[in-house]
């Protein structure tokens, strides 16, 4: 196996021209974090794995449509989260089984657990679903306004307005 050190943009252009090795390199580079982030939003590991596979099939098929207006990982994340949302809308939730296995917890996971169970989590829970979705997309998922706009299907100005409203409400709730 050859490890490719090409940048994501170069790999994606190669994928657009049918280079399976470039797709494999993108998969090896991005599938682990994609799987971890999607698992934070879905309790069914089988579904998460299917969504990751679907995501990279979509990358294979749609690489030629990538316009290099943002980072490749954000583009992949947008595909992955939309695939997960589509799948979750069409399935019944499966509870996560309890295990005694030791889990490796990343720094991001520790922060997110603190957010979910602390004062900030309670304040986020009181936000309207529209405001909470914008905060999750822009703050927790790290998407740009443009990427969040595409993900949520709303204009960029609406993302900015909702983000500002959410910040005001969170400041008030946490003061």
């Amino acid at each position: 196996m050859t490890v490719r050190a090409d940048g994501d943009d170069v790999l994606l252009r190669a994928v657009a021209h049918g280079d399976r090795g470039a797709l494999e390199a993108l998969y090896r580079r991005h599938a682990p974090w994609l799987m971890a982030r999607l698992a934070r939003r879905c309790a069914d590991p089988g579904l998460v794995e299917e969504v990751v596979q679907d995501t990279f099939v979509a990358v294979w098929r749609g690489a030629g449509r990538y316009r290099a207006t943002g980072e490749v990982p954000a583009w992949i994340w947008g595909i992955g989260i939309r695939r997960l949302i589509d799948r979750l809308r069409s399935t019944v939730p499966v509870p996560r089984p309890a295990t005694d296995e030791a889990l490796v917890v990343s720094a991001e996971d520790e922060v997110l657990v603190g957010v979910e169970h602390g004062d900030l989590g309670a304040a986020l829970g009181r936000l309207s679903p529209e405001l909470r979705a914008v905060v999750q997309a822009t703050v927790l998922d790290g998407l740009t306004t443009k990427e969040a706009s595409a993900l949520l299907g709303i204009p960029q100005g609406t993302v900015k307005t909702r983000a500002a409203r959410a910040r005001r409400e969170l400041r008030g709730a946490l003061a």
Side-chain angles (χ1 to χ4, degrees):
M1 171 183 66
T2 306
V3 176
R4 293 180 70 151
D6 297 329
D8 289 338
D9 288 340
V10 171
L11 289 172
L12 202 52
R13 281 193 300 274
V15 170
H17 289 93
D19 184 341
R20 290 177 187 262
L23 179 66
E24 182 181 350
L26 278 174
Y27 182 86
R28 289 184 184 281
R29 188 176 295 171
H30 297 293
W33 67 258
L34 181 61
M35 193 164 299
R37 290 185 77 184
L38 292 174
R40 296 279 305 149
R41 289 157 180 83
C42 176
D44 181 354
L47 179 59
V48 169
E49 192 171 319
E50 288 175 24
V51 168
V52 170
Q53 297 302 320
D54 290 348
T55 299
F56 282 93
V57 169
V59 167
W60 174 256
R61 291 179 179 158
R65 291 189 299 272
Y66 177 69
R67 297 291 169 236
T69 55
E71 297 294 319
V72 171
W75 183 71
I76 292 171
W77 169 249
I79 294 169
I81 192 64
R82 282 189 299 274
R83 300 272 175 183
L84 179 62
I85 290 168
D86 289 345
R87 293 293 298 272
L88 289 174
R89 285 181 180 152
S90 65
T91 61
V92 176
V94 175
R96 183 176 296 200
T99 63
D100 292 332
E101 296 175 15
L103 298 175
V104 177
V105 179
S106 70
E108 179 186 37
D109 287 342
E110 287 183 22
V111 169
L112 290 174
V113 166
V115 166
E116 288 174 10
H117 300 292
D119 293 340
L120 181 55
L124 282 169
R126 290 190 295 269
L127 290 176
S128 70
E130 295 82 12
L131 297 182
R132 194 169 41 252
V134 167
V135 169
Q136 183 168 359
T138 58
V139 178
L140 300 178
D141 295 338
L143 299 179
T144 65
T145 302
K146 185 174 186 176
E147 293 161 343
S149 167
L151 173 67
L152 300 171
I154 57 176
Q156 288 183 48
T158 304
V159 171
K160 292 176 184 179
T161 301
R162 288 181 183 175
R165 278 185 45 209
R167 282 192 300 272
R168 275 194 311 274
E169 288 185 26
L170 289 171
R171 263 189 234 113
L174 296 171

